[in-house]
Amino acid sequence: MVKVPSAVIAASGLVGGYGVARWTRKRQLGGVVLAVAGAAAAQQWRERAGGKAACALTVAYVAAFAGSHPLAKKVGAWPAVFGVAGAVAAASWAVADRRG
């Protein structure tokens, strides 16, 4: 079975989580999307790159989520979300997906 790259899962979690929260007007539902995608990505990071890398990428994922909020005040919500999602995807690819 072919696995979806962890970079795609992580970026989709950030973008999808925001999109769900915005369109449903239920922040908790967006948080569920964010958490489920983050857990799935973290599992792949651990399998592909080891525990330390998975921990670092998980911290980056959470920091991207948190950092998107103040960034949104400067550049707008969607550009902020896409920016941090791209940064996490690039880090994920460089650390875990590139090897596979």
Side-chain angles (χ1 to χ4, degrees), residues 35-69:
V36 168
Q43 181 179 359
Q44 285 194 16
W45 293 329
R46 189 175 58 255
E47 290 171 0
R48 294 178 182 177
K52 288 182 183 180
C55 183
L57 288 167
T58 300
V59 167
Y61 184 78
V62 173
F65 166 70
S68 68
H69 292 83

Side-chain angles (χ1 to χ4, degrees), residues 9-21 24 26-41 61:
I9 295 170
S12 297
L14 290 161
V15 173
Y18 175 69
V20 166
T24 65
K26 296 184 192 276
R27 295 178 75 184
Q28 298 85 355
L29 192 55
V32 169
V33 172
L34 180 79
V36 168
Y61 184 78

